[in-house]
Coordinates of all heavy atoms in Angstrom, one line a residue:
S484 N 0.3 -24.9 1.4 CA 1.4 -25.8 1.3 C 1.6 -26.2 -0.2 O 0.7 -26.0 -1.0 CB 1.1 -27.0 2.2 OG 0.1 -27.8 1.5
H485 N 2.7 -26.7 -0.4 CA 3.0 -27.2 -1.7 C 2.1 -28.2 -2.2 O 1.6 -28.1 -3.3 CB 4.4 -27.8 -1.7 CG 4.8 -28.3 -3.1 ND1 5.2 -27.6 -4.2 CD2 4.8 -29.6 -3.6 CE1 5.5 -28.3 -5.2 NE2 5.3 -29.6 -4.9
H486 N 1.6 -29.1 -1.4 CA 0.6 -30.1 -1.7 C -0.7 -29.6 -2.1 O -1.3 -29.9 -3.1 CB 0.5 -31.1 -0.5 CG -0.6 -32.1 -0.7 ND1 -0.5 -33.2 -1.6 CD2 -1.9 -32.2 -0.3 CE1 -1.6 -33.9 -1.6 NE2 -2.5 -33.3 -0.8
D487 N -1.2 -28.6 -1.4 CA -2.4 -27.9 -1.6 C -2.3 -27.1 -3.0 O -3.3 -27.2 -3.7 CB -2.8 -26.9 -0.5 CG -3.2 -27.7 0.8 OD1 -3.7 -28.8 0.7 OD2 -3.1 -27.1 1.8
A488 N -1.2 -26.5 -3.2 CA -1.0 -25.8 -4.4 C -1.0 -26.7 -5.6 O -1.7 -26.5 -6.6 CB 0.3 -25.0 -4.4
Q489 N -0.3 -27.8 -5.5 CA -0.3 -28.9 -6.6 C -1.7 -29.4 -6.8 O -2.1 -29.6 -8.0 CB 0.6 -30.0 -6.3 CG 0.7 -31.0 -7.4 CD 1.3 -30.4 -8.7 OE1 2.4 -29.8 -8.7 NE2 0.6 -30.5 -9.7
K490 N -2.5 -29.7 -5.7 CA -3.8 -30.2 -5.9 C -4.7 -29.2 -6.7 O -5.5 -29.5 -7.5 CB -4.4 -30.5 -4.6 CG -5.8 -31.0 -4.6 CD -6.4 -31.4 -3.2 CE -7.8 -32.0 -3.3 NZ -8.5 -32.1 -2.1
A491 N -4.6 -27.9 -6.3 CA -5.4 -26.8 -7.0 C -5.0 -26.7 -8.5 O -5.9 -26.6 -9.3 CB -5.2 -25.5 -6.3
L492 N -3.7 -26.9 -8.7 CA -3.3 -26.8 -10.1 C -3.7 -28.0 -10.9 O -4.3 -27.8 -11.9 CB -1.7 -26.8 -10.1 CG -1.0 -26.4 -11.4 CD1 -1.4 -25.0 -11.8 CD2 0.5 -26.6 -11.2
D493 N -3.8 -29.2 -10.3 CA -4.3 -30.4 -11.0 C -5.8 -30.3 -11.2 O -6.3 -30.8 -12.2 CB -4.0 -31.6 -10.1 CG -2.5 -32.0 -10.0 OD1 -1.7 -31.4 -10.8 OD2 -2.1 -32.7 -9.0
E494 N -6.5 -29.6 -10.3 CA -8.0 -29.6 -10.4 C -8.5 -28.3 -11.2 O -9.7 -28.2 -11.5 CB -8.6 -29.6 -9.0 CG -8.4 -30.9 -8.3 CD -8.8 -30.9 -6.9 OE1 -9.4 -29.8 -6.4 OE2 -8.7 -31.9 -6.2
A495 N -7.6 -27.4 -11.6 CA -7.9 -26.2 -12.3 C -8.6 -26.5 -13.6 O -8.2 -27.5 -14.4 CB -6.7 -25.3 -12.5
D496 N -9.5 -25.7 -14.1 CA -10.0 -25.9 -15.4 C -9.0 -25.7 -16.4 O -8.2 -24.7 -16.5 CB -11.1 -24.7 -15.6 CG -11.8 -24.8 -16.9 OD1 -11.3 -25.2 -17.9 OD2 -13.0 -24.3 -16.9
P497 N -8.8 -26.6 -17.4 CA -7.7 -26.5 -18.4 C -7.9 -25.2 -19.2 O -6.8 -24.9 -19.7 CB -7.9 -27.7 -19.3 CG -8.8 -28.7 -18.5 CD -9.6 -27.8 -17.5
A498 N -8.9 -24.6 -19.3 CA -9.1 -23.4 -20.1 C -8.3 -22.3 -19.5 O -8.0 -21.3 -20.1 CB -10.5 -22.9 -20.1
F499 N -7.9 -22.3 -18.1 CA -7.2 -21.2 -17.5 C -5.7 -21.4 -17.7 O -4.9 -20.4 -17.4 CB -7.4 -21.3 -16.0 CG -8.8 -20.9 -15.5 CD1 -9.5 -21.7 -14.7 CD2 -9.4 -19.7 -16.0 CE1 -10.8 -21.2 -14.2 CE2 -10.6 -19.4 -15.7 CZ -11.4 -20.1 -14.8
N500 N -5.2 -22.5 -18.3 CA -3.8 -22.7 -18.5 C -3.0 -22.4 -17.2 O -2.0 -21.7 -17.3 CB -3.3 -21.9 -19.6 CG -3.9 -22.3 -21.0 OD1 -4.0 -23.5 -21.2 ND2 -4.2 -21.4 -21.9
A501 N -3.5 -22.8 -16.1 CA -2.8 -22.5 -14.9 C -1.4 -23.2 -14.8 O -1.2 -24.3 -15.3 CB -3.6 -23.0 -13.7
E502 N -0.4 -22.5 -14.2 CA 0.9 -23.1 -14.1 C 1.6 -22.5 -12.9 O 1.2 -21.5 -12.2 CB 1.8 -22.7 -15.3 CG 1.9 -21.2 -15.5 CD 2.7 -20.8 -16.8 OE1 2.1 -21.1 -17.9 OE2 3.8 -20.4 -16.7
W503 N 2.7 -23.1 -12.5 CA 3.5 -22.7 -11.3 C 4.1 -21.3 -11.6 O 4.5 -21.0 -12.6 CB 4.6 -23.6 -11.0 CG 4.1 -24.8 -10.3 CD1 3.9 -26.0 -10.9 CD2 3.8 -25.0 -8.9 NE1 3.4 -27.0 -10.0 CE2 3.3 -26.4 -8.7 CE3 3.7 -24.1 -7.8 CZ2 2.9 -26.8 -7.6 CZ3 3.3 -24.7 -6.6 CH2 2.9 -26.0 -6.5
A504 N 4.0 -20.4 -10.6 CA 4.7 -19.1 -10.7 C 6.2 -19.3 -10.6 O 6.6 -20.2 -10.1 CB 4.2 -18.2 -9.5
R505 N 6.9 -18.4 -11.2 CA 8.3 -18.3 -11.3 C 8.9 -18.0 -9.9 O 10.1 -18.2 -9.7 CB 8.8 -17.5 -12.3 CG 8.5 -18.0 -13.7 CD 9.1 -17.2 -14.8 NE 8.9 -17.9 -16.1 CZ 7.9 -17.5 -16.9 NH1 7.0 -16.6 -16.5 NH2 7.5 -18.1 -18.0
R506 N 8.1 -17.2 -9.1 CA 8.7 -16.9 -7.8 C 7.6 -16.8 -6.8 O 6.3 -16.7 -7.2 CB 9.4 -15.6 -7.8 CG 8.6 -14.3 -8.2 CD 9.4 -13.1 -8.3 NE 8.6 -12.0 -8.7 CZ 7.9 -11.3 -7.9 NH1 7.8 -11.5 -6.6 NH2 7.1 -10.2 -8.4
N507 N 7.7 -16.8 -5.5 CA 6.6 -16.7 -4.6 C 6.4 -15.2 -4.3 O 7.3 -14.4 -4.3 CB 7.1 -17.3 -3.2 CG 7.0 -18.9 -3.3 OD1 6.1 -19.4 -4.0 ND2 7.9 -19.5 -2.5
L508 N 5.1 -14.9 -4.0 CA 4.8 -13.6 -3.6 C 5.1 -13.4 -2.1 O 5.1 -14.3 -1.4 CB 3.2 -13.3 -3.8 CG 2.8 -13.3 -5.3 CD1 1.3 -13.3 -5.3 CD2 3.5 -12.2 -6.0
E509 N 5.2 -12.2 -1.7 CA 5.3 -11.8 -0.3 C 4.0 -12.3 0.5 O 3.0 -12.5 -0.2 CB 5.5 -10.4 -0.1 CG 6.6 -9.8 -0.8 CD 7.9 -9.8 0.0 OE1 7.8 -9.9 1.3 OE2 8.9 -9.7 -0.6
N510 N 4.0 -12.4 1.8 CA 2.8 -12.7 2.4 C 1.6 -11.7 2.1 O 0.5 -12.2 2.0 CB 3.1 -12.6 4.0 CG 3.9 -13.8 4.5 OD1 4.0 -14.8 3.8 ND2 4.5 -13.6 5.7
D511 N 2.0 -10.5 2.0 CA 1.0 -9.5 1.6 C 1.7 -8.6 0.6 O 2.4 -7.7 1.0 CB 0.4 -8.6 2.7 CG -0.6 -7.7 2.3 OD1 -0.9 -7.5 1.1 OD2 -1.2 -7.0 3.2
P512 N 1.5 -8.9 -0.8 CA 2.2 -8.2 -1.8 C 1.9 -6.7 -1.7 O 2.7 -5.9 -2.2 CB 1.8 -8.8 -3.1 CG 0.6 -9.5 -2.7 CD 0.6 -9.8 -1.3
G513 N 0.8 -6.2 -1.2 CA 0.4 -4.9 -1.2 C 1.1 -4.0 -0.1 O 1.0 -2.8 -0.1
R514 N 1.7 -4.7 0.8 CA 2.4 -4.0 1.9 C 3.9 -4.4 2.0 O 4.3 -5.5 2.3 CB 1.7 -4.4 3.3 CG 2.3 -3.7 4.4 CD 1.6 -4.1 5.7 NE 2.3 -3.5 6.7 CZ 2.4 -4.0 8.0 NH1 1.9 -5.2 8.2 NH2 3.1 -3.4 8.9
P515 N 4.6 -3.5 1.5 CA 6.1 -3.7 1.5 C 6.6 -3.8 2.9 O 6.2 -3.0 3.8 CB 6.7 -2.5 0.7 CG 5.6 -1.6 0.4 CD 4.3 -2.2 0.9
R516 N 7.6 -4.6 3.1 CA 8.3 -4.7 4.4 C 9.0 -3.5 4.9 O 9.8 -3.0 4.0 CB 9.2 -6.0 4.5 CG 8.4 -7.3 4.4 CD 9.3 -8.4 4.6 NE 8.6 -9.6 4.5 CZ 9.1 -10.8 4.5 NH1 10.3 -10.9 4.7 NH2 8.3 -11.9 4.4
G517 N 8.9 -3.1 6.0 CA 9.6 -2.0 6.6 C 9.1 -0.6 6.3 O 9.7 0.3 6.7
I518 N 8.1 -0.6 5.5 CA 7.6 0.7 5.0 C 6.6 1.2 6.1 O 5.6 0.5 6.5 CB 7.0 0.7 3.6 CG1 8.0 0.3 2.6 CG2 6.3 2.0 3.3 CD1 9.1 1.2 2.4
M519 N 6.8 2.5 6.6 CA 5.9 3.1 7.5 C 5.4 4.4 7.0 O 4.9 5.3 7.7 CB 6.7 3.4 8.8 CG 7.2 2.1 9.5 SD 8.2 2.5 11.0 CE 9.6 3.2 10.3
T520 N 5.4 4.5 5.6 CA 4.9 5.8 5.0 C 3.8 5.5 4.0 O 4.0 4.6 3.2 CB 6.1 6.5 4.3 OG1 7.1 6.7 5.3 CG2 5.8 7.7 3.7
L521 N 2.8 6.3 4.0 CA 1.7 6.2 3.1 C 1.9 7.3 2.1 O 2.4 8.4 2.4 CB 0.4 6.3 3.7 CG 0.0 5.4 4.8 CD1 -1.4 5.6 5.3 CD2 0.1 3.9 4.3
A522 N 1.4 7.1 0.9 CA 1.5 8.2 -0.2 C 0.0 8.5 -0.6 O -0.8 7.5 -0.8 CB 2.3 7.8 -1.4
I523 N -0.3 9.7 -0.7 CA -1.6 10.1 -1.3 C -1.2 11.0 -2.4 O -0.8 12.2 -2.2 CB -2.6 10.8 -0.3 CG1 -2.8 9.8 0.9 CG2 -3.9 11.3 -0.9 CD1 -3.6 10.4 2.0
L524 N -1.3 10.6 -3.7 CA -0.8 11.3 -4.9 C -1.9 11.9 -5.7 O -3.0 11.5 -5.7 CB 0.0 10.3 -5.7 CG 1.1 9.5 -4.9 CD1 1.8 8.5 -5.9 CD2 2.1 10.4 -4.3
G525 N -1.5 13.0 -6.4 CA -2.5 13.6 -7.2 C -3.7 14.3 -6.5 O -4.8 14.0 -6.8
L526 N -3.4 15.0 -5.5 CA -4.4 15.6 -4.6 C -5.5 16.5 -5.5 O -6.7 16.3 -5.2 CB -3.8 16.6 -3.6 CG -2.9 16.0 -2.5 CD1 -2.4 16.9 -1.5 CD2 -3.6 14.9 -1.8
A527 N -5.0 17.2 -6.4 CA -6.0 18.1 -7.2 C -6.9 17.2 -8.0 O -8.1 17.5 -8.0 CB -5.2 19.1 -8.1
E528 N -6.4 16.2 -8.6 CA -7.2 15.3 -9.4 C -8.2 14.6 -8.5 O -9.3 14.2 -9.0 CB -6.4 14.2 -10.0 CG -5.5 14.6 -11.1 CD -4.5 13.5 -11.6 OE1 -4.7 12.4 -11.3 OE2 -3.6 13.9 -12.4
K529 N -8.0 14.4 -7.3 CA -8.9 13.8 -6.3 C -9.8 14.8 -5.6 O -10.7 14.4 -4.8 CB -8.2 13.0 -5.3 CG -7.4 11.8 -5.9 CD -6.5 11.1 -4.8 CE -5.7 10.0 -5.5 NZ -4.8 9.4 -4.5
G530 N -9.7 16.0 -5.9 CA -10.4 17.1 -5.3 C -10.1 17.3 -3.9 O -10.9 17.7 -3.0
L531 N -8.8 17.0 -3.4 CA -8.3 17.2 -2.1 C -7.4 18.3 -1.9 O -6.7 18.7 -2.8 CB -7.6 15.9 -1.7 CG -8.4 14.6 -1.7 CD1 -7.4 13.4 -1.5 CD2 -9.5 14.6 -0.7
A532 N -7.5 19.0 -0.8 CA -6.5 20.0 -0.4 C -5.5 19.4 0.5 O -5.7 18.5 1.3 CB -7.2 21.2 0.2
E533 N -4.3 19.9 0.4 CA -3.1 19.5 1.3 C -3.5 19.7 2.8 O -3.3 18.8 3.6 CB -1.8 20.4 1.0 CG -0.7 20.1 1.9 CD 0.5 21.0 1.7 OE1 0.5 21.8 0.8 OE2 1.3 21.0 2.6
S534 N -4.2 20.8 3.1 CA -4.7 21.1 4.5 C -5.6 20.0 5.0 O -5.5 19.6 6.1 CB -5.2 22.4 4.6 OG -6.4 22.6 3.8
E535 N -6.5 19.5 4.1 CA -7.5 18.5 4.5 C -6.8 17.2 4.9 O -7.1 16.5 5.8 CB -8.4 18.3 3.3 CG -9.4 17.2 3.5 CD -10.3 17.0 2.2 OE1 -10.0 17.6 1.2 OE2 -11.2 16.1 2.3
V536 N -5.8 16.8 4.0 CA -5.0 15.6 4.3 C -4.1 15.7 5.6 O -4.2 14.8 6.5 CB -4.1 15.2 3.1 CG1 -3.3 14.0 3.4 CG2 -5.0 14.9 1.9
R537 N -3.5 16.9 5.7 CA -2.8 17.1 6.9 C -3.6 17.0 8.2 O -3.3 16.5 9.2 CB -2.1 18.5 6.9 CG -0.8 18.6 6.1 CD -0.2 19.9 6.2 NE 0.9 20.0 5.3 CZ 2.1 19.4 5.5 NH1 2.3 18.8 6.6 NH2 3.1 19.5 4.7
Q538 N -4.8 17.6 8.2 CA -5.7 17.7 9.2 C -6.2 16.3 9.6 O -6.2 16.0 10.8 CB -6.9 18.6 9.0 CG -7.9 18.7 10.2 CD -9.1 19.7 9.8 OE1 -9.2 20.1 8.7 NE2 -9.8 19.9 10.8
W539 N -6.4 15.5 8.6 CA -6.9 14.1 8.9 C -5.9 13.2 9.6 O -6.1 12.4 10.5 CB -7.4 13.4 7.6 CG -8.4 12.3 8.0 CD1 -9.7 12.4 8.0 CD2 -8.0 10.9 8.2 NE1 -10.2 11.2 8.4 CE2 -9.2 10.3 8.5 CE3 -6.8 10.3 8.3 CZ2 -9.3 8.9 8.8 CZ3 -6.8 8.9 8.7 CH2 -8.1 8.2 8.9
F540 N -4.6 13.4 9.2 CA -3.5 12.6 9.7 C -2.7 13.2 10.9 O -1.9 12.6 11.5 CB -2.5 12.2 8.7 CG -3.1 11.2 7.7 CD1 -3.4 11.6 6.4 CD2 -3.2 9.9 8.0 CE1 -3.9 10.7 5.5 CE2 -3.7 8.9 7.1 CZ -4.0 9.4 5.7
E541 N -3.1 14.5 11.3 CA -2.2 15.2 12.2 C -2.0 14.5 13.6 O -1.0 14.6 14.2 CB -2.7 16.6 12.4 CG -4.0 16.8 13.2 CD -4.4 18.2 13.2 OE1 -3.7 19.2 12.9 OE2 -5.6 18.4 13.6
S542 N -3.0 13.8 14.0 CA -2.9 13.1 15.4 C -2.2 11.8 15.4 O -1.7 11.3 16.4 CB -4.2 13.0 16.0 OG -5.1 12.1 15.3
S543 N -2.0 11.2 14.2 CA -1.4 9.8 14.1 C 0.0 9.9 13.4 O 0.7 8.9 13.7 CB -2.4 8.9 13.5 OG -2.7 9.3 12.1
A544 N 0.2 10.8 12.6 CA 1.5 10.8 11.8 C 2.7 11.3 12.6 O 2.5 12.2 13.5 CB 1.3 11.6 10.5
S545 N 3.8 10.8 12.3 CA 5.1 11.4 13.0 C 5.6 12.4 12.2 O 6.3 13.3 12.6 CB 6.1 10.2 13.2 OG 6.5 9.5 12.1
S546 N 5.4 12.4 10.8 CA 5.8 13.5 9.9 C 5.0 13.5 8.7 O 4.5 12.4 8.3 CB 7.3 13.5 9.6 OG 7.6 12.4 8.8
M547 N 4.9 14.6 8.0 CA 4.2 14.7 6.7 C 5.0 15.6 5.7 O 5.5 16.6 6.2 CB 2.8 15.2 6.9 CG 1.9 14.3 7.5 SD 0.2 14.9 7.7 CE 0.3 15.8 9.4
Q548 N 5.1 15.2 4.5 CA 5.7 16.1 3.5 C 4.9 16.2 2.3 O 4.3 15.2 1.9 CB 7.1 15.4 3.1 CG 8.1 15.2 4.2 CD 9.3 14.4 3.7 OE1 9.4 13.9 2.6 NE2 10.2 14.2 4.7
Y549 N 4.8 17.4 1.7 CA 4.1 17.6 0.5 C 5.1 17.7 -0.6 O 6.1 18.4 -0.5 CB 3.3 19.0 0.6 CG 2.6 19.2 -0.7 CD1 1.4 18.6 -1.1 CD2 3.1 20.2 -1.6 CE1 0.8 18.9 -2.3 CE2 2.5 20.5 -2.8 CZ 1.4 19.8 -3.1 OH 0.8 20.1 -4.4
S550 N 4.8 17.1 -1.8 CA 5.6 17.2 -3.0 C 4.9 17.8 -4.1 O 3.8 17.4 -4.5 CB 6.0 15.8 -3.3 OG 6.6 15.8 -4.7
T551 N 5.4 18.9 -4.6 CA 4.8 19.6 -5.7 C 4.9 18.7 -7.0 O 4.1 18.8 -7.8 CB 5.3 21.0 -5.9 OG1 6.7 20.8 -6.1 CG2 5.0 21.9 -4.8
R552 N 6.0 18.0 -7.1 CA 6.3 17.2 -8.3 C 5.2 16.1 -8.5 O 4.8 16.0 -9.7 CB 7.6 16.4 -8.0 CG 8.1 15.7 -9.3 CD 9.5 15.2 -9.1 NE 9.6 14.2 -8.2 CZ 9.2 12.9 -8.4 NH1 8.8 12.4 -9.5 NH2 9.4 12.0 -7.4
V553 N 4.7 15.5 -7.4 CA 3.6 14.5 -7.6 C 2.2 15.0 -7.1 O 1.3 14.3 -7.1 CB 3.9 13.2 -7.0 CG1 5.1 12.5 -7.7 CG2 4.2 13.3 -5.5
D554 N 2.2 16.3 -6.7 CA 1.0 16.9 -6.0 C 0.5 15.9 -5.0 O -0.7 15.4 -5.0 CB 0.0 17.2 -7.0 CG -1.2 17.8 -6.4 OD1 -1.1 18.6 -5.4 OD2 -2.4 17.6 -6.9
G555 N 1.4 15.5 -4.1 CA 1.0 14.4 -3.1 C 1.6 14.6 -1.8 O 2.5 15.4 -1.6
M556 N 1.1 13.9 -0.8 CA 1.5 13.9 0.6 C 2.1 12.6 0.9 O 1.7 11.5 0.5 CB 0.3 14.1 1.6 CG -0.4 15.4 1.4 SD 0.7 16.8 2.2 CE 0.8 16.2 3.8
F557 N 3.2 12.6 1.6 CA 3.9 11.4 2.1 C 3.7 11.5 3.6 O 4.2 12.5 4.3 CB 5.3 11.3 1.7 CG 5.4 11.2 0.2 CD1 5.6 12.3 -0.6 CD2 5.4 9.9 -0.4 CE1 5.6 12.0 -2.0 CE2 5.5 9.7 -1.7 CZ 5.5 10.8 -2.5
I558 N 3.1 10.6 4.3 CA 2.7 10.5 5.6 C 3.5 9.4 6.3 O 3.2 8.2 6.0 CB 1.2 10.4 5.9 CG1 0.4 11.6 5.2 CG2 0.9 10.5 7.3 CD1 -0.2 11.1 3.9
K559 N 4.4 9.8 7.2 CA 5.2 8.7 7.9 C 4.6 8.5 9.3 O 4.2 9.5 9.9 CB 6.7 9.1 8.0 CG 7.5 8.1 8.6 CD 9.0 8.4 8.5 CE 9.9 7.3 9.1 NZ 11.2 7.6 9.1
F560 N 4.7 7.3 9.8 CA 4.1 6.8 11.1 C 5.3 6.2 11.9 O 6.4 5.9 11.4 CB 3.1 5.9 10.9 CG 1.9 6.5 10.1 CD1 1.9 6.5 8.8 CD2 0.8 7.1 10.9 CE1 0.8 7.1 8.1 CE2 -0.2 7.7 10.2 CZ -0.3 7.7 8.8
A561 N 5.0 6.2 13.2 CA 6.1 5.7 14.1 C 6.3 4.2 14.0 O 7.4 3.6 14.4 CB 5.6 5.9 15.6
S562 N 5.4 3.4 13.4 CA 5.5 2.0 13.2 C 4.8 1.5 12.0 O 3.9 2.2 11.5 CB 5.0 1.2 14.5 OG 3.6 1.4 14.5
E563 N 5.1 0.3 11.5 CA 4.4 -0.4 10.4 C 3.0 -0.5 10.8 O 2.0 -0.4 10.0 CB 5.0 -1.6 10.1 CG 6.4 -1.6 9.5 CD 7.0 -2.8 9.1 OE1 6.3 -3.6 8.3 OE2 8.1 -3.1 9.6
G564 N 2.6 -0.9 12.1 CA 1.3 -1.2 12.5 C 0.4 0.2 12.5 O -0.7 0.1 12.1
A565 N 1.0 1.2 12.9 CA 0.3 2.5 12.8 C 0.0 2.9 11.4 O -1.0 3.4 11.1 CB 1.2 3.6 13.6
A566 N 0.9 2.7 10.5 CA 0.8 3.0 9.0 C -0.4 2.1 8.5 O -1.2 2.6 7.8 CB 2.1 2.8 8.3
E567 N -0.4 0.9 8.9 CA -1.4 -0.1 8.3 C -2.8 0.3 8.9 O -3.7 0.3 8.1 CB -1.1 -1.5 8.8 CG -2.0 -2.5 8.1 CD -1.6 -3.9 8.3 OE1 -0.6 -4.1 9.2 OE2 -2.1 -4.8 7.6
Q568 N -2.8 0.7 10.1 CA -4.1 1.2 10.7 C -4.6 2.4 9.9 O -5.8 2.6 9.7 CB -3.9 1.4 12.2 CG -5.3 1.8 12.9 CD -5.2 2.0 14.4 OE1 -4.2 1.7 15.0 NE2 -6.2 2.5 14.9
A569 N -3.7 3.4 9.7 CA -4.1 4.6 9.1 C -4.5 4.3 7.7 O -5.5 4.9 7.2 CB -2.8 5.6 9.1
M570 N -3.9 3.3 7.0 CA -4.3 3.0 5.7 C -5.7 2.5 5.7 O -6.5 2.8 4.7 CB -3.3 2.0 5.1 CG -3.8 1.3 3.7 SD -3.4 2.3 2.3 CE -1.8 1.7 2.1
E571 N -6.0 1.6 6.6 CA -7.4 1.0 6.7 C -8.4 2.1 7.1 O -9.5 1.9 6.6 CB -7.4 -0.1 7.8 CG -6.6 -1.3 7.3 CD -6.3 -2.3 8.4 OE1 -6.9 -2.1 9.5 OE2 -5.6 -3.2 8.3
E572 N -8.1 3.0 7.9 CA -9.1 4.1 8.4 C -9.2 5.3 7.5 O -10.1 6.0 7.6 CB -8.7 4.5 9.8 CG -8.8 3.3 10.8 CD -8.4 3.6 12.2 OE1 -7.8 4.8 12.4 OE2 -8.5 2.8 13.1
A573 N -8.2 5.5 6.6 CA -8.3 6.8 5.8 C -9.5 6.7 4.9 O -9.9 5.6 4.5 CB -7.0 6.8 4.9
P574 N -10.0 7.9 4.7 CA -11.1 8.0 3.8 C -10.9 7.4 2.4 O -9.7 7.5 1.8 CB -11.5 9.5 3.6 CG -10.8 10.1 4.9 CD -9.7 9.3 5.3
A575 N -11.8 6.7 1.8 CA -11.6 6.1 0.4 C -11.3 7.2 -0.6 O -10.5 6.8 -1.5 CB -12.9 5.4 0.0
S576 N -11.7 8.4 -0.4 CA -11.5 9.4 -1.4 C -9.9 9.8 -1.4 O -9.4 10.3 -2.5 CB -12.2 10.7 -1.2 OG -11.9 11.2 0.1
F577 N -9.2 9.5 -0.4 CA -7.7 9.7 -0.4 C -7.0 8.7 -1.3 O -5.9 9.1 -1.7 CB -7.2 9.6 1.1 CG -7.5 10.7 2.0 CD1 -8.4 11.7 1.7 CD2 -7.0 10.8 3.3 CE1 -8.7 12.8 2.6 CE2 -7.2 11.9 4.2 CZ -8.1 12.8 3.8
Q578 N -7.5 7.6 -1.4 CA -6.9 6.6 -2.3 C -5.4 6.4 -1.7 O -4.4 6.4 -2.5 CB -6.9 6.8 -3.7 CG -8.3 6.9 -4.2 CD -8.4 7.3 -5.7 OE1 -7.4 7.1 -6.5 NE2 -9.5 7.9 -6.1
A579 N -5.2 6.3 -0.4 CA -3.9 6.1 0.2 C -3.2 4.8 -0.4 O -4.0 3.8 -0.6 CB -4.0 6.0 1.7
E580 N -2.0 4.9 -0.6 CA -1.2 3.7 -1.0 C 0.1 3.7 -0.3 O 0.5 4.6 0.4 CB -1.0 3.7 -2.5 CG -0.2 5.0 -3.0 CD -0.2 5.1 -4.5 OE1 -1.3 5.6 -5.1 OE2 0.8 4.6 -5.1
W581 N 0.8 2.5 -0.3 CA 2.1 2.4 0.4 C 3.1 3.1 -0.5 O 3.2 3.1 -1.7 CB 2.5 1.0 0.4 CG 1.7 0.2 1.5 CD1 0.7 -0.7 1.1 CD2 1.6 0.3 2.9 NE1 0.1 -1.1 2.3 CE2 0.6 -0.6 3.4 CE3 2.4 1.1 3.8 CZ2 0.4 -0.7 4.7 CZ3 2.1 0.9 5.2 CH2 1.2 0.0 5.5
A582 N 3.9 3.9 0.2 CA 5.0 4.6 -0.4 C 6.1 3.6 -0.9 O 6.2 2.5 -0.2 CB 5.7 5.7 0.5
R583 N 6.9 3.9 -1.9 CA 8.0 3.0 -2.3 C 9.0 2.9 -1.3 O 9.8 1.9 -1.2 CB 8.5 3.4 -3.6 CG 7.6 3.3 -4.7 CD 8.2 3.5 -6.1 NE 7.1 3.6 -7.1 CZ 7.1 4.6 -8.0 NH1 8.1 5.5 -8.0 NH2 6.1 4.7 -8.8
R584 N 9.3 4.0 -0.5 CA 10.3 4.1 0.5 C 9.8 5.0 1.7 O 8.8 5.7 1.4 CB 11.6 4.6 0.0 CG 11.6 6.0 -0.6 CD 12.9 6.4 -1.1 NE 12.9 7.7 -1.7 CZ 13.0 8.8 -1.0 NH1 13.1 8.8 0.2 NH2 12.9 10.0 -1.8
N585 N 10.5 4.8 2.8 CA 10.0 5.7 3.9 C 10.4 7.2 3.7 O 11.5 7.4 3.2 CB 10.6 5.2 5.2 CG 9.8 4.0 5.7 OD1 8.6 4.0 5.7 ND2 10.6 3.0 6.1
A586 N 9.5 8.0 4.1 CA 9.8 9.5 4.2 C 10.9 9.7 5.2 O 11.0 8.9 6.1 CB 8.6 10.4 4.4
E587 N 11.7 10.7 5.1 CA 12.7 11.0 6.1 C 12.1 11.8 7.3 O 11.2 12.3 7.3 CB 13.8 11.9 5.4 CG 14.3 11.1 4.2 CD 15.7 11.4 3.8 OE1 16.4 12.2 4.6 OE2 16.2 10.9 2.9

C-alpha cells in the first residue's frame, strides 16, 4: 500500500538515497501481459541443438519456430499459464525468457 511504501521510504538508510519511482512496475515485470511465447536465444553459444529444444517442448508447445537471425527458438503455448509452467520447468541451460511478442 501507499502507507507501507511511505513507511519503508521514511525508514530507509539515508545512504541509499531512496526515492519514489516515477512509475509503478507491473505485478510481475518479468512476465509481459498476454505473452504466451518463450524465447531461447543463442543456441550455439549455450551448447544447445535446435532438435534438443524441440524435443523438450514438443508435448507442451502449440508451435515452435527457429530463427537463424538470432540462432534461437520461439516456442508458443496455448495459454499464458502453460507458457509460465514451461518457463519454470525448462532446464536452466536453456535460459528461457519471455519473447517480446507472441509467435504466429
